[in-house]
Amino acid sequence: MPPASSPLRFTVSATAETFDITPARLVVAGYTGRDADAVAEHIAELKAIGVPPPATVPAFYDLDPALLTAESVVDVDGPDSSGEVEPVIIRHRGRHYLTVGSDHTDRELEKTDIAGSKAACPKPLGATVVPLPDDLSAFDWDAVRAASEVDGEPYQHGTLAALRTPDDVLARLAAALPDTDGDLVLFGGTLPLLTGRFVFGRAWTLRLQLADGTVLTHTYETKHGNR
């Protein structure tokens, strides 16, 4: 997997320290819900609308790091794409950080090719990060509140207690893709949609609020054709 074409720059919340990273891997984790019955129900719902079930749960989609972007406007190929708020784990020189991102996906292509639908769209993420403790299990993951809006309308909200924790997902990733040592960007899964339906909107707002009040946010717009 080739590295990102240009380094990504992040600013550490509270200290304003910056660092650049050219990740060797970008992995999007899917079906990371902690409630196995709810995950199975979600897979069945997607199957009913034509989305094939994953080969494994959680599923890991190994993508081109060049898809990562912190730009405020991103290009998409057509009108049938949508985003979703995700916690994003960044591993740089052995240290882990948290930011917010969007697994923007082509929903029409997703019906026949999930990996292709994810590879077809950029992966927006915020430029501010929070360092995580060396012992990832010590971080209060369950208290983090996540939310997204599309075109000013609420789209998702809830806490990360619904998702597998970073140490859990990273351990499962290491088992599934043994060669993922080194700098890595991992999208950690998402929350259910408030309406249960995809919205193919243009303006997306993503937000994570930590237990200590720290807020990680990112906004972006999509454009395609002459839009």
Side-chain angles (χ1 to χ4, degrees), residues 22-215:
T22 303
R25 305 293 284 264
L26 162 62
V27 177
V28 173
Y31 308 101
T32 57
R34 217 178 290 181
D35 184 332
D37 291 338
V39 171
E41 182 179 350
H42 179 53
I43 291 172
E45 291 171 348
L46 293 176
K47 185 179 180 181
I49 61 172
V51 179
T56 62
V57 177
F60 295 105
Y61 302 98
D62 198 4
L63 304 178
D64 187 344
L67 293 171
L68 294 166
T69 178
E71 296 296 325
S72 59
V73 179
V74 301
D75 291 309
V76 294
D77 287 339
D80 298 322
S81 69
S82 65
E84 50 193 20
V85 63
E86 301 218 3
V88 179
I89 305 299
I90 298 167
R91 185 175 62 210
H92 177 53
R93 296 179 178 173
R95 185 78 190 270
H96 292 92
Y97 302 85
L98 174 68
T99 190
V100 66
S102 173
D103 175 20
H104 207 93
T105 298
D106 184 317
R107 302 302 174 185
E108 188 61 31
L109 184 57
E110 189 177 40
K111 296 176 182 177
T112 55
D113 181 358
I114 296 178
S117 71
K118 295 181 179 299
C121 296
K123 298 293 176 245
L125 76 174
T128 301
V129 299
V130 169
L132 297 174
D134 292 340
D135 178 4
L136 293 176
S137 66
F139 179 69
D140 194 354
W141 180 258
D142 289 5
V144 178
R145 301 196 63 80
S148 67
E149 294 182 357
V150 54
D151 296 335
E153 296 294 326
Y155 193 56
Q156 297 169 281
H157 72 72
T159 71
L160 298 190
L163 302 179
R164 294 181 183 275
T165 57
D167 51 330
D168 181 342
V169 176
L170 284 165
R172 292 171 186 273
L173 172 64
L177 300 174
D179 58 343
T180 49
D181 292 338
D183 287 357
L184 166 76
V185 175
L186 171 66
F187 281 59
T190 195
L191 304 174
L193 309 181
L194 293 177
T195 64
R197 299 188 305 274
F198 294 128
V199 175
F200 307 130
R202 181 174 182 179
W204 296 86
T205 299
L206 319 166
R207 176 185 171 95
L208 295 181
Q209 181 170 356
L210 282 58
D212 65 1
T214 300
V215 174

